[in-house]
Every structure is written in C-alpha cells, then in structure tokens.
Amino acid sequence: IGTVIAAISDSLGTRLGWAAGVASCLFQGIYLAYVKKSGAETGLGAFGVLYYHSVISLPILVAFVIVMGEVSQVLAYPQLFHVPFLVVLFFSLSMGVVLNYALFLATEKTSPTSTLVSGQVKSILQTAVGMFTFGGGDTSPRYLFGTLLNISGGIGYGVSKYLDMRERQQMAHPQT
C-alpha cells in the first residue's frame, strides 16, 4: 500500500520509471528463486553458483555490449590506461564481486524473499542518502508517508521472518 501511495503522489517520477522499478523487483525475485533452486539442486555453495551464473551470463553481456556499440566508446575514453582510473576500476570490480557473492550467500542461507527485502532496504537507504546529498527528490508529505509506510512493511516482514525462524529453532531444539 505504501508503494502505491508513494507512486501516486510522486510528482517527479514517470509511469515508465515506476513500471521499470516494479519489473526490476519482479525479475530479481524470479532470479533469486532460481539461484536458490539451482544451488540446492546442484549442491554447489554460493561461490560455485555465482561462478556458473557469471559464465552463463557472459556471452549475453558481451553480445549486448557489442550490439549497443559500447566497445568503441570504452576504447575512446582518454583515461582508459591511466593508473588512477585502473585502480578505481579494479576496486569497483572487486566491490561488485563481493556484493554479488554476499547476495548469493544471503539467498543460499535465507529465502529469496528475505534477500529481496533486504536488498530493497539497502536501496531505500541509498535513495534517502541520495535525496539529501544531491537533492531533487520528491519531499511532499503524501510521498514521504507512502515511503515510510513501505519501509515499515519491509521492517515488519523482516521482524516476522526473524521471529518465525526463532520459533522453528526452539521447536527443533526444545529445552528440557
């Protein structure tokens, strides 16, 4: 409900932007469910599943980069072989690997829904920091109410999953 209220009162967003956000959540949920299923079926750990998903995705990514003409744009970048740029590129790639590994590990250890919710909480924090750091965000009372309602739902879900997990642990290991 919070998302709907925020979407209706968002004076800066577009229908296409909100549709892309909804599609992103939907596809990420499907993808995380697939990651969980493929890890369970193969017996691979998070790193193994990450490796195989990366290898499978690479040809699609390379084809997309070629079709979109990004190779020539990268090669034309004047700072491409300067050491400071390469250092930042290396650290950015390293953070991407760590982030993806953490995502796969979270999916392996919890449910895809829990991973998706925690990812959305991270996105909310990034959005809040971006709104106040760079400005340009919608701060109407109705939009903020919808956003806070949405955040409350995510927190409530997290708390209920945590309590459910504790209850299952207590049932599996009753204290005598």
Side-chain angles (χ1 to χ4, degrees):
I1 295 174
T3 302
V4 173
I5 293 171
I8 291 170
S9 54
D10 184 6
S11 63
L12 302 174
T14 63
R15 289 179 197 249
L16 179 61
W18 278 97
V22 168
S24 173
C25 290
L26 176 69
F27 289 130
Q28 187 178 19
I30 292 168
Y31 178 68
L32 291 174
Y34 175 70
V35 166
K36 178 85 170 182
K37 184 176 187 276
S38 64
E41 288 178 354
T42 61
L44 294 172
F47 189 77
V49 174
L50 175 62
Y51 174 76
Y52 284 110
H53 280 255
S54 298
V55 169
I56 291 168
S57 300
L58 192 59
I60 298 166
L61 179 62
V62 168
F64 187 75
V65 166
I66 291 170
V67 167
M68 297 303 291
E70 293 186 18
V71 175
S72 60
Q73 292 176 355
V74 169
L75 294 175
Y77 183 62
Q79 306 286 324
L80 183 60
F81 297 107
H82 289 160
V83 174
F85 172 76
L86 293 174
V87 168
V88 170
L89 178 64
F90 172 76
F91 282 114
S92 295
L93 291 171
S94 299
M95 288 187 300
V97 168
V98 169
L99 179 64
N100 279 313
Y101 177 70
L103 177 73
F104 278 65
L105 190 61
T107 303
E108 177 185 314
K109 302 295 182 190
T110 65
S111 73
T113 307
S114 297
T115 304
L116 187 63
V117 169
S118 65
Q120 294 308 312
V121 171
K122 173 198 61 89
S123 296
I124 290 166
L125 292 173
Q126 287 175 329
T127 301
V129 169
M131 279 177 63
F132 295 112
T133 304
F134 304 111
D138 190 344
T139 55
S140 68
R142 207 162 102 183
Y143 178 79
L144 292 176
F145 172 73
T147 302
L148 290 175
L149 188 61
N150 190 9
I151 292 169
S152 300
I155 291 170
Y157 174 80
V159 168
S160 73
K161 289 298 273 186
Y162 173 75
L163 294 174
D164 185 46
M165 178 191 68
R166 291 219 24 210
E167 183 178 317
R168 279 185 275 143
Q169 287 176 342
Q170 288 175 352
M171 289 175 66
H173 305 290
Q175 295 180 354
T176 53

